[in-house]
Each structure stands twice: as structure tokens, then as C-alpha cells.
Amino acid sequence: MASNEKVGQVAVEDRKLEVLRAIVEDYISTNEPVGSKALADRHSLGVSPATIRNDMAALEDEGLIAQPHTSPGRIPTDAGYRLFVDRITELKPLSSAERRAIQVFLDGAADLDDVLYRAVRTLAQLTRHVAVVQYPSLSRSRVRHLEIVSLSTTRLMLVLITDTGRVEQRVVDLPAPVSEESVFDLRASLNNRLRDRLLADAPELIGDLPPSVAPELRGLLATLTSVLLETLVETGGDRIVLGGTANLTENAIDFPAIRPVLEALEEQVVLLKLLDQSIASTQVVVRIGNENQHEGLVTTSLVTTGYGARGSALGAVGVLGPRRMDYAHTMARVAAVARYVGDLLEAR
């Protein structure tokens, strides 16, 4: 008897989850609160509307669905969306046309900036949400080349080029004139020490360098080292690219107030913090409503994943939209664009 009761309880729980899945899917599709009769008509749940009503009452007691004040139907709560997303077993694959469009559009990029701007445009168009891409983190990048260009005898330009194609430039004013030969020697010393090494290791690598350079170059080395380390600190927060902000207006009905969302988007540090949590993940991460831990984003969902090259995690890509989004569709397209960005950076 106990065994039969347990089997019966499992069956009830499975049916309740099916009811929840149907409610979420219908609400995403129609933007209308969902009632028991509509569920019975639209879905093959194998039970009567009365049984569905009982299951909906149980789901409401568990905080997974709620009743809006203006309707007898029910809508998912953040907890309901979370359970629904956690039980997604199959994403909606990209069509062959979508795959071709991504490849053709991104393959035409001229440089890193172009890759990222094209990535956000593509992702915004595919999902109809706000797309965001994080620049490859300097701390996770490697030095491809360090160029020192003489602008005058007392002014240099320091150009840092990373393996991802990221370029950082700084103008350096010198306390005394310096010869072209000295610039050449110091450029060679710095590149020999830093090329193909992680930028995060640069302070230690440069710190060991002074004894190996000519005494007359050590003052110049100290100046350039200071500027290089300042560059790492100044860009430590990295940058992001946004695209498709206008898509928020298409979903304005899902946001009781759109201004807090726009203000949160303007605070790039908020998005960078959320993206940083996804950099090292090869899985798609979904944060729903109050999981975003910023009051301006409590009416939104953020879908992100990391991208990388040569086995290293470099940055993250994602979309921000309403909680009432097609998660299986969105997650697949975020993952696809992240793969393409990583592949392009690895090929450069």
C-alpha cells in the first residue's frame, strides 16, 4: 500500500509540473493569465478541468503561480519560471537560415570592435531582446605585441595588442629626451619578456626586468612600466557593447516601469558584474527577476554564457528581456552567438 501511495504521489507531482509547464508556455505565447479550461482545451493533460483546478491551487500554494487582481486566470511567479527553466531538457535549435546569417555577418568583421558590435546586433535581431557582449577581459588575455612609437624626443605612444585583437593605447610624456635606439632596445626587451604571457602576470614579469636592461634605460623603463600597469588597472572593469535597446519598447507591456530598466542598462558596472559571473561557465546561465539582485532589473530575465578562445575564458555574452520570454529559444541563440564569437577570436 505504501508503495502504491508513493507511486501515486509521484504521478501527481509529475502532472502538476506538466500543468506548470503548460501555464508558462501559454502565458509566454499569449500574455494572458491562464485558466483551467484553456489548459484543458489546449493541452493533452489527460485529466478534467476540475483536476487541473486542484493542481493549480496546489501550485499557487507553493508560490509557483499567482492570480493577478484583474483576472481569474493564473500567471507564473519568478519561482515558477525558475522551476520551468531548470526542467528545460531541449533547446530550440537554430534554423539553417539563422546559422548562415550569423556566420556570414560575423565572418565579415574587420577587427575585435567590429566582431563584438556585429555580435550584439545579430543577437538582438535573433531574440528581439537587448543584447550585451563583454569585451575580452584584459586580465585573461595574452600579450601579442607591445609597440612603442616615438611621437617626439620627449613623447611616446605605448600600444598594447592582445591575442584577442584588443588594442589599448596610451601617450607617455617623458621627463627627458630619449633616442630612437633606446626606444628600439626597450621595445625588444619588453616584448621578449611579455609576448604570449598573460597580462595578469605582467606586474611580476616586468618587476624582474630592470637588472637586465642598460642603466641609462631604467628610468624610461620605470615610466613605461607605470603606464602599462595603470592601463591594466584602468581597464580592469572592462567594457561592454549593448544592442537592441529599442526592443524594450516592443515588450513594454511586460515592464510596469521601463525607466528603471534603462537606468540599470546605463550603469555598465551592474551588467559587468552579472556577466563576470558567467565568464568561466560553458553553460547558459538564466537569472530571473529578483535573482538579478538589482532593483532596476527585477522585472527582467538575463540569459548569459561565457565565450573563449584557445581554451581560455575571455568574456560573456547574453540578452536581457522580460521574464515572459521564450527561454528555450533565447538560450539556444545566446549559446550559438557565444560559440561563433569564440571561434572568430581563436582564428585571429
Side-chain angles (χ1 to χ4, degrees), residues 256-278:
I258 201 169
R259 183 171 179 174
V261 179
L262 293 172
E263 290 175 346
L265 290 176
E266 289 178 358
E267 296 179 39
Q268 292 201 359
V269 66
V270 173
L271 291 179
L272 279 168
K273 183 178 180 181
L274 294 171
L275 289 170
D276 278 340
Q277 298 168 8
S278 303

Side-chain angles (χ1 to χ4, degrees), residues 47 89 96 118 126 171 180 186 192 200 212 228 265 269 275 316 323:
V47 292
T89 58
S96 57
R118 286 172 180 248
L126 289 173
V171 173
E180 284 285 352
L186 202 54
N192 287 338
S212 66
L228 181 59
L265 290 176
V269 66
L275 289 170
R323 290 169 295 179

Side-chain angles (χ1 to χ4, degrees), residues 24 51 110 116 191 214 226 232 243 252 255 257 266 274 314 324 348:
V24 174
T51 300
L116 301 186
N191 276 294
S226 175
L232 292 175
F255 304 111
E266 289 178 358
L274 294 171
L314 297 173
R324 189 185 61 85
R348 288 172 179 266

